Amino acid sequence: MAMSAVLLSLSRTIHPHPPPPTKTKPSFFKPINNSISFDIPITRRLAILTTFTISTTPFIHTSSACAESFLSGISNTKSWFQFYGDGFAIRVPPQFQDIMEPEEYNVGLSLYGDKAKPKTFAARFASPDGSEVLSVVIRPSNQLKITFLEAKDIADLGSLKEAAKIFVPVGVTLYSARTIKIKEEEGYRNYYFYEFGNNIQHVALVAAVNSGKAFIAGATAPHNKWDDDGVRLRSAAVSLTVL
């Protein structure tokens, strides 16, 4: 199933009333005051409202006023829990529950040398009623675009417009598309942001590439809930950090 299709269908595939979280969380679910150090400091994402640079393109918008409008649609997520996954971190909206099944954490592990089945999701959280979902998918970048070279940045998959063919499903309405540049120790990393939907679902999606892997975060909700909850869902997707 295409990555965009996986993200778009999330709220229709989860249990409508996920069980309450247990007291013991996986060891990699850390509070924001965690002291683990990384080669690339995660603090570069904590002040996202003031640190990222938006590069507008003729694809969707052409004026600086549109960049300001995008910033106004993002809230500060510093007080949220930060989930650490395999090569990424993401902020989880308050009251969202981990809905990964125990067996999903072990998918991909092999004791006998047989070909491991890739996990569908690297992380998945839902609102208490199950209608709003935040998820992360990881895939080899050469599965998204055939290339003999290891992709080191999402720009290696094409421009913002070209990559939309990979991440945005056919037949939906594309509301916005942005390139978000995050300053790192060795320069800038590009993140592609797309917001799209139909009469049923609304999705905010952020994608980035590192060391040949594509990291895709998607926040989805029923279209009629987006006016109320769109800011926090968009903010959650934008909080994706490649480590």
Side-chain angles (χ1 to χ4, degrees):
M1 182 183 294
M3 294 302 98
S4 55
V6 170
L7 295 168
L8 187 61
S9 64
L10 279 177
S11 65
R12 296 194 297 274
T13 60
I14 66 170
H15 193 283
H17 298 287
T22 59
K23 293 183 179 179
T24 302
K25 291 183 178 296
S27 60
F28 45 80
F29 189 92
K30 310 286 186 181
I32 60 173
N33 61 354
N34 182 272
S35 60
I36 293 178
S37 61
F38 295 87
D39 292 335
I40 302 175
I42 61 173
T43 54
R44 69 182 186 275
R45 298 291 291 207
L46 297 187
I48 193 167
L49 289 173
T50 58
T51 59
F52 70 59
T53 301
I54 297 178
S55 172
T56 58
T57 75
F59 180 29
I60 295 296
H61 301 296
T62 57
S63 69
S64 59
C66 293
E68 294 177 1
S69 176
F70 177 76
L71 285 171
S72 67
I74 301 295
S75 62
N76 193 322
T77 60
K78 184 177 181 179
S79 64
W80 298 2
F81 278 105
Q82 188 164 38
F83 175 90
Y84 296 100
D86 183 11
F88 72 94
I90 195 166
R91 297 284 176 176
V92 181
Q95 299 182 351
F96 269 48
Q97 304 165 358
D98 188 340
I99 58 170
M100 289 277 282
E101 297 295 332
E103 59 268 21
E104 291 184 281
Y105 289 112
N106 298 320
V107 171
L109 299 179
S110 174
L111 299 178
Y112 303 102
D114 54 324
K115 187 175 180 180
K117 179 181 177 182
K119 292 193 294 185
T120 301
F121 303 104
R124 193 160 47 145
F125 302 89
S127 58
D129 67 357
S131 66
E132 300 173 4
V133 180
L134 173 66
S135 66
V136 178
V137 175
I138 304 174
R139 290 293 181 273
S141 58
N142 60 11
Q143 287 186 3
L144 306 180
K145 182 178 181 179
I146 298 176
T147 176
F148 294 103
L149 300 176
E150 180 182 84
K152 297 181 179 180
D153 187 90
I154 196 166
D156 296 334
L157 301 183
S159 66
L160 181 69
K161 183 175 182 179
E162 292 167 341
K165 299 175 183 178
I166 299 173
F167 300 111
V168 180
V170 175
V172 301
T173 299
L174 182 61
Y175 304 120
S176 180
R178 299 282 182 184
T179 297
I180 302 173
K181 292 182 179 291
I182 302 296
K183 183 173 177 56
E184 298 185 347
E185 293 179 353
E186 298 180 356
Y188 286 87
R189 182 179 301 281
N190 291 301
Y191 290 72
Y192 285 172
F193 169 85
Y194 301 98
E195 191 166 323
F196 54 86
N198 52 28
N199 292 330
I200 301 174
Q201 288 294 113
H202 196 122
V203 180
L205 181 150
V206 173
V209 168
N210 187 34
S211 301
K213 293 182 180 180
F215 298 81
I216 306 105
T220 72
H223 193 74
N224 60 8
K225 282 194 170 186
W226 199 263
D227 285 345
D228 293 331
D229 298 333
V231 170
R232 73 169 182 167
L233 292 170
R234 185 184 301 114
S235 302
V238 171
S239 75
L240 174 71
T241 303
V242 173
L243 303 176

